[in-house]
Amino acid sequence: MENLSGKVAVVTGASRGIGRSIAVNLARCGALVVINYIKNEKEACKTLDMVKQEGANGIIVQGDVSLYNSAEKIMKNTLSNMGKIDILVNNAGISKVGLFIDMRENEWQQIIDINFKGVLNCTHCVLEHMISRKSGSIVNISSMWGKVGASCESIYSASKGAVNLFTKSIAKEMGPSNIRINAVAPGVIDTEMNSWLQEEERKNLIEEIPIGRFGKSDDIGKIVCFLAGESSQYITGQIITVDGGMI
Ligand code: NAP
């Protein structure tokens, strides 16, 4: 297991799903965890309880990553409570499934604002601090669809494709400052995001996954700990696909 003792990690969208599991896994490795959420304070508190059960500590911080001022507040709040930020996990995201032709402008604006601009906002708001310390690790949660594109999720796929190329580019820019930036591209993970799937659709999807099951949030939490810690010190600008072999 990665040793992240004494490290401070901010996880956006950690009130449920993949973000919660990332927070708990980071806590298990010894990190102090900042749990960001937008609406669901009760669930964020539940994540904090789970972090504490791991023998670690943390705080919850409300904020909307799609708004620059709000992202800035999340980071300022963290710095005043924790004193530093070693790890940022840009996990907050939404998906909307449907034909592009049926989608309205405000819908694609929202997907781009949260999934892509949210990553830009949060990254921009921590970089000055990380550069001054010449240390930091950022992990962006992308998607396998950002690599190959998905029908009926074209804007979602595009937003994640943008995250992938931003990850590669900013990693080149920040390498000399000893800041590593990587992305994880999950496959189909069993969270609320996929709760709209009917039983038959789930079965059909599983048939397309060589490992024979949906991913668990924990599958993503573990790889994030690896990318956040010292074991991956020579890895930057990479998009690690965790999809049971699906693409
Ligand atoms: P989820 O269960 O729907 O949880 C989404 C999380 O993001 C919640 O904590 C939510 O907070 C938060 N959030 C939403 N909008 C936000 C905003 N504007 N600012 C701050 N937080 C916000 O989603 P998930 O399945 O865990 O997905 C997490 C990430 O993994 C996303 O980036 C998603 O695209 C990616 N991913 C998921 C899958 C999958 O199959 N599930 C596959 C590939 C990639 P509240 O609880 O307060 O609403």
Side-chain angles (χ1 to χ4, degrees), residues 13-19 36-40 63-66 91-94 114-115 141-143 156 160 186-189 191-194:
S15 45
R16 48 200 165 93
I18 293 173
N36 159 253
Y37 67 100
I38 182 163
K39 293 189 296 251
N40 228 323
D64 181 347
V65 298
S66 71
N91 165 78
I94 59 162
I114 298 175
N115 294 7
I141 306 304
S142 170
S143 163
Y156 177 81
K160 296 298 189 177
V188 187
I189 310 296
T191 71
E192 271 175 51
M193 195 173 266
N194 292 315

Side-chain angles (χ1 to χ4, degrees), residues 9-28 33-38 43-44 46-48 50-51 59-60 87-94 139-142 160 184 186 189-193 216-222 224-225:
V10 178
V11 185
T12 68
S15 45
R16 48 200 165 93
I18 293 173
R20 168 178 281 165
S21 191
I22 292 169
V24 171
N25 274 278
L26 289 167
R28 196 168 294 151
V33 189
V34 177
I35 298 152
N36 159 253
Y37 67 100
I38 182 163
E43 292 301 307
K46 209 157 130 191
T47 305
L48 182 58
M50 292 165 83
V51 159
I59 54 171
I60 62 164
I87 299 159
L88 166 65
V89 185
N90 284 311
N91 165 78
I94 59 162
V139 183
N140 298 325
I141 306 304
S142 170
K160 296 298 189 177
V184 177
I189 310 296
D190 217 349
T191 71
E192 271 175 51
M193 195 173 266
K216 294 180 277 201
S217 294
D218 216 40
D219 295 321
I220 309 304
K222 285 180 183 145
V224 168
C225 292

